[in-house]
Amino acid sequence: MEALLFFSVFVIATCGLIYELVAGTLASYLLGDSVTQFSTIIGAYLFAMGIGAWLSRFFKKELLSWFIQLEILVGLIGGISSAALFLLFEHALSFRLILYMLVGLTGILVGLELPLLMNILKNRYEFRDLVSRVFTFDYIGALLASIVFPLLLVPYLGLIRTSCFFGILNVLVAMIVLVKFRSEIKWAAYLKIKAVAVILFLSGIFFWANEIMTFSEGMAFRDPVIFTHSSPYQRIVLTRSKSDLRLYLNGNLQFSSADEYRYHEALVHPVMMYGGSRRKILILGGGDGMAARELLKYPEIEHITLVDLDPSMTRLFKENTLLTKLNSNSLLSPKLTIVNADAFQWLKENKETFNIAIIDFPDPGNYAVGKLYTTAFYRQLRHSLNDSSVIVVQSTSPYVAPKAFWCVNTTLLTCGYKTIPYHTYVPSFGEWGYVMASPAALYQQHDQLPEGLRYFAAGVFPQMRLFTADMDKRAVRPNQLNNQVLVQYFEDEWGKYQE
Amino acid sequence: MNGENTRSNTLTRKDFLRYMALIAGGSITVGQYVACQNKTDRYAHITGKINGASAAIGHRIREGSFPVPEVTTYTDTLIVGSGIAGLAAARKLQQQGIDFKVLELEPTPGGNAGFGKNAYAAYPLGAHYLPLPNLQHTALLELLEEAGMLTGYDAAGLPIYRETDLCFDPEERLFIHDRWQEGLVPQFGVQAAALSEIQRFLAEMERLRQVKGADQLFAFDIPVANSSADPVYTALDQISMRTWLEQKGYHSEELHWYLDYCCRDDYGADAAAISAWAGIHYFAGRKGKAANAESSQVLTWPEGNGRLMQHLLQFSKESLLPNSLVYQVTPAGDKVQVDYLDVHQGITKRIVADHCILAVPQFVGRRLLPARPPAANFVYSPWLVANITLDNIPAGSGYPLCWDNVVYKGRSLGYVNAQQQNISQISPDKQVITWYLPLDHLDPVNSRKYALGLDHAHWVKLIADDLAIAHRHIHALIRRIDVQVWGHGMIRPHPGFLTSQERHAVQQSGHSNIFFAHSDLSGISIFEEAFYHGNKAAENVIARRRS
Ligand SMILES: Cc1cc2nc3c(=O)[nH]c(=O)nc-3n(C[C@H](O)[C@H](O)[C@H](O)COP(=O)(O)OP(=O)(O)OC[C@H]3O[C@@H](n4cnc5c(N)ncnc54)[C@H](O)[C@@H]3O)c2cc1C
């Protein structure tokens, strides 16, 4: 009997802390900036618990029934909290408001629990004894929660299941109390039905957690989704597994933290070797700051202008600590200016010229993006270059889409650029292609590379320029605004590949 | 970068999604049903207004009785009308340093090539594209070069166009059998026999494109005036396009629809109402070529031919007097007196000029000159153009959104997504599309009456329902519809008109210093013809000043 009640305290305490941790984690996943999120969530939660504790004075009769009601309610609200937050994240006008309301509500309910329980137990135990035991189990529960949460729960259960699981525990406490104190409880049958219903409901969520996640996502991702944001331009999704953080834009993989260094080193360092003067750099696209990170390894670079359409991308990669760790805070560098604008439009108005331009747009999978790979675009770009400037264009996979890849090359040639097509292997993408280009003849002008590269080296580049028969040059037409052949090649080839 | 999207799809997950989709679908349908019940009026939220060529002011010419002008000024050449023809003439005169004025009835210039603007986009009010010009049409090629739209010639002598002025891909799609297909020639779900008939027809048009008459002129050319006079071909003007099709053994429904569409597109009436010569000219007259575009492509801009009009306008900015209704043109010795109503001030004024170019349609021009016989053969197709502001343009199933989007057997000609010509990835908050309706369900006079009598709410219903054929849920997306009625939109080349005595006679004003210039003189209403007549009138003025 006694053990049972104190076990309840232990469970309640664990659950209470878990809800708090879930909310804090979710908030930092979804809103970024973990320090702020965690401290405000904890503060709000504790304050709400205080309100709960204060409210407990108004419960005078039928304490056991109320306690059971409360446990069921805490179980329900705490249990569905993370599923609800994931689902609402996209649709809610003010997600923060909902988040804090939920945190507040859970806090109030959790804050009610212990005072209520102590009131129930006060006539059964000596007060001194009661206080000491309740708080001991409370703190042990908290310790347990804080250890298992990061080590076991998040990695193995995920957030949605974790909160469901603890919600169910909460309701189980209610059930146990209900059974044990049957005789003292009013509306027992009604409460039992209610508890069973909530347990079933939460088990359902627990069981379908992945689907809920996916459904909230509208599409299936390999790993748990930790962040989603729909900007007017694109849908940004971050997923995370144990060792790997992945960014998807409109469902297309942009990088995997495990091997993005291969992609970005191959994007940046060859063009730096071939560029004569390297003082002023232009990045088009590349709002993730990874290309900028590679560039900042060259002290001679004076200034980088980064033009990316989407302010929410650049903000995310400037502020989210997970991501700034990946790009080494490159977007906060004083050498870098971020311009949130449409690249084509911006080039039309730009008066500056750049020594090097790195063009890292999404793949030409639709007619809108296809415009950024046309002769019109590269001709416009020419006005922002010197005669000796060097550029590089990410050009999709020459293995999967050889016609699309060679179309980028042909398009640049048509505009009078000299080109060096090359490719590399990026495990998460497969074989990936780039085209280096310049208005002047291309030759290697530097052999000094920055320290600490993990993949690229001067000796590797000749290999990257070799194309095996299955990726080799195809006869293709240049991509123009009025034919958009690139989009057609790309769709044909990737379409077949994905069938 | 594209990678694998994701996998690990188990069956249960798929089932779950399907199940969720069903529930979601169900609740949406129920929701909509409820919404429909609550709000039977699906149109009430749509705002906008009716604009139109100032018909009421124009009609005052017919009523006559203007007070004698008090103010008199002088100029060398007076141009009445600032459509493409008037502005082309002005450009020529300006280049020669000749003093001129342009009087325009409307507050803004351009006539049928005018354009409008709202917070989201500029859009055409009428004309919206120019096919690639024929290589012999050097005057037009020069104009395009001057405007920077033609950047040079390749080694083979083919013009290179500025890419941003060519129609961006994807260009055209057709909604047929509940699906969008690529291109306007019916293909999706069309029987093999009909398809081969269409192929035969297109091959025939290709042949006629190159054919020359006994006079060594192309049988069909642009401008029309350069076409062969060989009776073998001009005889085609006596029968309708539909009769010609039948005579040649073309019977398929799809081909007949396609020709109705083409005739309505260029002439505002179907193949039964248009002469075979004009119907064939639609295809065979166009022989344009380019180094960097297919022959069939067109030049177009977000504001339609308003872009070309603005280029022309630079030459007459200072000389243009808008809100000026010319009501009388009187030859006086070797001068011409042009009387007009300053619509703003409400007073009449007179300009005395050495020469006058009447760049207005015949139905106006003949009333301005004294004792001019009525031009009964000049029939004009009324048109309606609507600019529709929407939250977004639904894609529909099948081929993606194009510049030109036509519905098979639709009442309208579908809509043009002129904003596709923007290079930016950023699309404005709202989209504007331009919807075209040739008013040919009644004869021109009654269609015109019908159109002018319809109120905005009726237009909204008609237009939204028409769009809903291809986009079922479009009503809720529409914010605003601005309607432009063109009572006398296009000259109609009905059988016999192009070869008629009247059309030839009308080219002369009967006065040595007064010249006509309007696309209707060609009997075919396209930019090239307006431009041709404007130039020709200016050349006549220049020649007369020299002599
Ligand atoms: C709906 C529609 C769509 C079209 N689409 C195309 C297209 O896509 N491509 C194409 O090539 N062509 C198109 N056209 C044909 C178009 O008419 C011609 O291309 C060209 O713009 C005609 O120019 P214009 O100068 O001959 O005549 P108008 O444009 O008719 O010019 C005549 C001018 O005279 C003014 N005026 C009339 N009376 C008076 C008066 N009494 N006093 C003063 N001013 C007066 C008028 O206001 C007008 O500005 C379209 C026409 C319509 C109606």
Side-chain angles (χ1 to χ4, degrees):
Chain A
M1 185 86 257
E2 193 185 304
L4 183 75
L5 278 170
F6 288 113
F7 178 67
S8 305
V9 173
F10 174 72
V11 172
I12 290 170
T14 318
C15 292
L17 194 71
I18 293 285
Y19 299 142
E20 181 182 334
L21 291 172
V22 165
T25 313
L26 246 165
S28 47
Y29 277 175
L30 298 177
L31 300 171
D33 194 351
S34 50
V35 176
T36 318
Q37 301 308 341
F38 253 104
S39 70
T40 51
I41 293 281
I42 290 176
Y45 193 83
L46 288 177
F47 177 65
M49 280 177 72
I51 299 178
W54 180 75
L55 286 175
S56 69
R57 68 189 308 153
F58 298 107
F59 292 84
K60 294 192 178 127
K61 277 184 281 184
E62 305 297 346
L63 291 184
L64 262 175
S65 296
W66 279 117
F67 178 70
I68 291 164
Q69 292 264 43
L70 182 66
E71 283 313 292
I72 298 173
L73 201 60
V74 173
L76 179 66
I77 292 179
I80 62 165
S81 60
S82 62
L85 287 174
F86 266 116
L87 285 171
L88 287 174
F89 181 56
E90 262 224 82
H91 308 288
L93 274 183
S94 169
F95 177 74
R96 256 171 236 273
L97 190 73
I98 293 184
L99 173 72
Y100 283 100
M101 271 169 56
L102 208 58
V103 165
L105 190 60
T106 323
I108 291 175
L109 296 176
V110 170
L112 265 170
E113 284 178 323
L114 282 192
L116 217 54
L117 195 66
M118 286 173 77
N119 273 319
I120 294 172
L121 297 179
K122 71 175 181 226
N123 300 328
R124 304 175 200 230
Y125 297 98
E126 201 207 327
F127 187 65
R128 181 204 305 261
D129 206 328
L130 179 66
V131 171
S132 123
R133 291 212 205 181
V134 164
F135 280 102
T136 307
F137 282 103
D138 184 15
Y139 291 126
I140 292 177
L143 175 67
L144 184 75
S146 63
I147 291 171
V148 294
F149 183 75
L151 296 182
L152 294 175
L153 300 174
V154 174
Y156 293 106
L157 282 184
L159 288 177
I160 295 186
R161 288 204 171 118
T162 298
S163 50
C164 278
F165 178 71
F166 284 88
I168 293 173
L169 283 187
N170 261 137
V171 186
L172 280 181
V173 167
M175 286 285 264
I176 291 167
V177 176
L178 197 58
V179 173
K180 288 283 159 193
F181 298 90
R182 220 167 337 170
S183 52
E184 298 179 49
I185 291 167
K186 270 197 171 175
W187 331 300
Y190 158 70
L191 289 176
K192 211 182 284 174
I193 293 171
K194 207 161 141 183
V196 170
V198 171
I199 287 182
L200 283 179
F201 180 60
L202 289 177
S203 315
I205 298 184
F206 186 87
F207 187 66
W208 298 106
N210 275 347
E211 280 69 18
I212 290 173
M213 191 76 170
T214 324
F215 188 69
S216 79
E217 218 12 79
M219 77 186 336
F221 287 95
R222 221 182 63 156
D223 299 323
V225 172
I226 57 168
F227 172 87
T228 61
H229 177 73
S230 288
S231 76
Y233 313 111
Q234 57 200 352
R235 175 149 181 78
I236 305 173
V237 173
L238 270 176
T239 70
R240 176 142 106 168
S241 67
K242 248 171 289 165
S243 55
D244 186 13
L245 194 66
R246 287 174 178 233
L247 172 74
Y248 294 84
L249 295 183
N250 295 331
N252 296 322
L253 180 63
Q254 300 301 295
F255 68 72
S256 147
S257 64
D259 60 17
E260 58 77 20
Y261 67 92
R262 275 187 163 240
Y263 174 84
H264 289 107
E265 286 184 11
L267 176 70
V268 170
H269 299 295
V271 76
M272 291 297 284
M273 278 190 345
Y274 278 71
S277 169
R278 311 184 286 189
R279 284 174 297 114
K280 286 181 70 186
I281 319 281
L282 174 66
I283 305 177
L284 299 178
D288 56 21
M290 307 292 189
R293 174 194 67 202
E294 293 303 314
L295 285 169
L296 288 167
K297 294 176 181 168
Y298 295 85
E300 69 186 277
I301 291 179
E302 286 167 9
H303 194 256
I304 303 173
T305 304
L306 187 153
V307 182
D308 192 290
L309 186 59
D310 192 350
S312 44
M313 258 298 269
T314 46
R315 200 183 319 119
L316 182 66
F317 280 85
K318 222 158 61 176
E319 290 173 1
N320 185 300
T321 45
L322 279 178
L323 301 172
T324 51
K325 218 158 75 197
L326 273 183
N327 66 21
S328 310
N329 276 310
S330 63
L331 297 187
L332 297 171
S333 162
K335 287 186 178 180
L336 182 123
T337 310
I338 296 176
V339 184
N340 289 121
D342 177 76
F344 209 149
Q345 199 65 46
W346 183 85
L347 282 175
K348 255 182 115 170
E349 282 142 33
N350 173 51
K351 299 269 179 315
E352 273 179 88
T353 56
F354 298 89
N355 304 122
I356 289 186
I358 290 169
I359 303 174
D360 193 9
F361 292 134
D363 272 356
N366 64 54
Y367 291 106
V369 182
K371 293 178 185 176
L372 302 175
Y373 288 84
T374 53
T375 44
F377 181 83
Y378 297 130
R379 291 209 172 96
Q380 188 63 58
L381 175 67
R382 180 68 184 81
H383 297 293
S384 297
L385 303 176
N386 317 314
D387 291 344
S388 60
S389 300
V390 185
I391 67 170
V392 62
V393 183
Q394 92 78 8
S395 316
T396 193
S397 168
Y399 170 73
V400 176
K403 281 188 165 173
F405 175 79
W406 290 105
C407 174
V408 176
N409 187 56
T410 303
T411 307
L412 283 160
L413 289 173
T414 307
C415 300
Y417 293 88
K418 315 283 181 295
T419 66
I420 298 182
Y422 63 96
H423 64 101
T424 191
Y425 183 68
V426 183
S428 59
F429 289 171
E431 204 57 54
W432 213 256
Y434 311 80
V435 181
M436 193 198 294
S438 170
L442 282 160
Y443 60 95
Q444 189 182 326
Q445 313 210 28
H446 304 271
D447 39 27
Q448 203 66 18
L449 285 167
E451 303 267 293
L453 299 191
R454 295 165 70 190
Y455 167 67
F456 188 74
V460 178
F461 195 54
Q463 291 169 32
M464 294 166 81
R465 295 176 60 177
L466 294 177
F467 284 85
T468 49
D470 57 352
M471 304 191 282
D472 211 359
K473 202 169 207 131
R474 314 280 143 120
V476 286
R477 291 158 66 201
N479 185 41
Q480 298 174 184
L481 284 171
N482 59 317
N483 66 20
Q484 295 252 20
V485 283
L486 178 60
V487 176
Q488 288 156 35
Y489 293 142
F490 182 89
E491 279 189 344
D492 283 356
E493 294 177 316
W494 276 94
K496 272 194 207 112
Y497 179 72
Q498 280 165 347
E499 260 166 22
Chain B
M1 290 154 273
N2 192 310
E4 91 277 48
N5 283 358
T6 28
R7 7 239 90 172
S8 86
N9 287 335
T10 56
L11 247 180
T12 40
R13 166 176 297 179
K14 273 192 189 147
D15 288 346
F16 173 80
L17 287 179
R18 217 169 281 143
Y19 179 51
M20 289 306 271
L22 240 156
I23 295 179
S27 47
I28 288 170
T29 325
V30 170
Q32 259 167 1
Y33 178 76
V34 173
C36 283
Q37 293 300 304
N38 295 345
K39 201 173 61 170
T40 36
D41 190 348
R42 293 185 294 165
Y43 315 94
H45 67 284
I46 302 173
T47 60
K49 58 178 199 248
I50 301 181
N51 309 296
S54 310
I57 302 174
H59 284 162
R60 290 186 57 181
I61 304 179
R62 245 191 289 180
E63 289 142 23
S65 75
F66 289 94
V68 177
E70 291 161 15
V71 194
T72 302
T73 50
Y74 300 88
T75 189
D76 183 297
T77 304
L78 193 107
I79 301 172
V80 184
S82 71
I84 295 301
L87 293 178
R91 165 173 169 270
K92 263 258 133 80
L93 296 178
Q94 201 267 358
Q95 287 170 343
Q96 294 288 319
I98 297 170
D99 179 48
F100 66 92
K101 287 265 173 304
V102 184
L103 295 178
E104 167 59 51
L105 144 73
E106 302 290 337
T108 51
N112 291 343
F115 68 98
K117 224 183 197 161
N118 64 18
Y120 312 103
Y123 47 76
L125 292 176
H128 60 292
Y129 70 94
L130 175 69
L132 293 183
N134 298 352
L135 297 182
Q136 288 78 8
H137 202 166
T138 42
L140 184 53
L141 293 173
E142 277 164 29
L143 175 80
L144 296 176
E145 195 162 0
E146 176 187 280
M149 297 164 177
L150 192 163
T151 55
Y153 292 84
D154 73 353
L158 292 179
I160 302 166
Y161 289 97
R162 185 165 63 190
E163 212 170 307
T164 43
D165 300 316
L166 289 165
C167 180
F168 295 4
D169 193 66
E171 196 168 335
E172 296 164 333
R173 63 173 182 171
L174 178 69
F175 189 76
I176 179 167
H177 303 308
D178 289 330
R179 206 185 149 75
W180 290 101
Q181 62 147 65
E182 181 180 2
L184 297 184
V185 179
Q187 260 157 349
F188 177 70
V190 177
Q191 301 287 311
L195 284 177
S196 75
E197 199 181 280
I198 293 173
Q199 286 317 313
R200 178 161 70 93
F201 171 82
L202 293 175
E204 174 74 353
M205 291 302 117
E206 189 53 46
R207 187 184 71 79
L208 290 169
R209 190 167 283 147
Q210 304 311 331
V211 139
K212 290 185 175 175
D215 49 11
Q216 289 312 306
L217 295 173
F218 279 119
F220 303 91
D221 207 353
I222 299 174
V224 169
N226 292 355
S227 307
S228 168
D230 190 331
V232 173
Y233 300 105
T234 54
L236 291 169
D237 188 47
Q238 298 309 315
I239 56 169
S240 77
M241 186 65 193
R242 190 169 291 170
T243 309
W244 183 85
L245 282 174
E246 267 146 20
Q247 283 178 2
K248 293 277 173 179
Y250 295 106
H251 302 296
S252 84
E253 202 181 317
E254 287 85 359
L255 181 64
H256 275 257
W257 170 79
Y258 181 58
L259 277 139
D260 282 342
Y261 163 81
C262 294
C263 290
R264 294 178 81 211
D265 184 37
D266 253 23
Y267 311 123
D270 65 18
I274 298 302
S275 98
W277 195 94
I280 295 169
H281 185 270
Y282 179 89
F283 299 90
R286 291 173 178 163
K287 308 178 218 292
K289 280 204 181 98
N292 58 340
E294 310 264 326
S295 306
S296 59
Q297 287 188 336
V298 301
L299 296 155
T300 189
W301 305 268
E303 69 272 49
N305 286 6
R307 180 71 65 87
L308 291 167
M309 185 276 287
Q310 281 170 289
H311 172 75
L312 290 172
L313 188 61
Q314 297 171 71
F315 300 91
S316 45
K317 268 233 165 88
E318 274 91 69
S319 324
L320 178 77
L321 302 173
N323 298 306
S324 306
L325 169 71
V326 175
Y327 61 87
Q328 189 171 303
V329 175
T330 323
D334 59 352
K335 302 273 180 205
V336 188
Q337 280 176 11
V338 178
D339 297 343
Y340 68 99
L341 172 73
D342 182 322
V343 178
H344 272 177
Q345 295 179 4
I347 55 170
T348 55
K349 296 178 178 173
R350 170 170 297 170
I351 296 181
V352 175
D354 292 333
H355 312 90
C356 178
I357 295 176
L358 291 173
V360 293
Q362 279 303 312
F363 79 91
V364 178
R366 70 170 187 87
R367 286 186 204 275
L368 301 182
L369 282 173
R372 182 94 181 148
N377 254 321
F378 279 68
V379 177
Y380 296 84
S381 306
W383 271 81
L384 182 116
V385 179
N387 278 287
I388 303 162
T389 307
L390 331 112
D391 290 343
N392 60 68
I393 310 172
S397 60
Y399 202 68
L401 178 67
C402 289
W403 170 71
D404 195 7
N405 307 271
V406 178
V407 174
Y408 180 63
K409 294 199 170 165
R411 175 175 181 184
S412 74
L413 296 185
Y415 60 91
V416 164
N417 173 28
Q419 312 320 314
Q420 183 167 315
Q421 291 299 112
N422 289 323
I423 50 161
S424 173
Q425 303 286 302
I426 308 174
S427 38
D429 246 19
K430 305 250 183 289
Q431 310 292 313
V432 181
I433 58 176
T434 310
W435 181 89
Y436 288 87
L437 175 70
L439 289 157
D440 59 349
H441 63 301
L442 302 171
D443 65 84
V445 175
N446 286 306
S447 286
R448 195 169 296 133
K449 269 196 197 133
Y450 162 85
L452 293 172
L454 222 54
D455 64 15
H456 187 258
H458 278 90
W459 283 123
V460 163
K461 181 162 168 17
L462 192 151
I463 294 164
D465 290 350
D466 184 77
L467 285 168
I469 297 171
H471 304 294
R472 270 210 295 148
H473 301 302
I474 203 162
H475 290 82
L477 298 174
I478 302 177
R479 294 287 85 125
R480 187 185 167 93
I481 298 184
D482 290 301
V483 176
Q484 178 87 19
V485 182
W486 296 104
H488 295 80
M490 288 178 180
I491 186 74
R492 182 179 288 190
H494 51 90
F497 174 62
L498 294 173
T499 46
S500 68
Q501 189 47 39
E502 185 181 331
R503 187 178 77 86
H504 292 288
V506 143
Q507 314 273 332
Q508 308 304 326
S509 70
H511 307 277
S512 64
N513 55 353
I514 300 177
F515 307 98
F516 283 120
H518 191 271
S519 49
D520 67 353
L521 297 173
S522 293
I524 284 183
S525 175
I526 51 178
F527 180 91
E528 299 90 313
E529 300 296 341
F531 181 66
Y532 165 80
H533 283 288
N535 283 337
K536 191 171 141 195
E539 276 153 19
N540 283 330
V541 168
I542 294 163
R544 187 165 184 278
R545 287 173 91 250
R546 290 220 182 94
S547 61

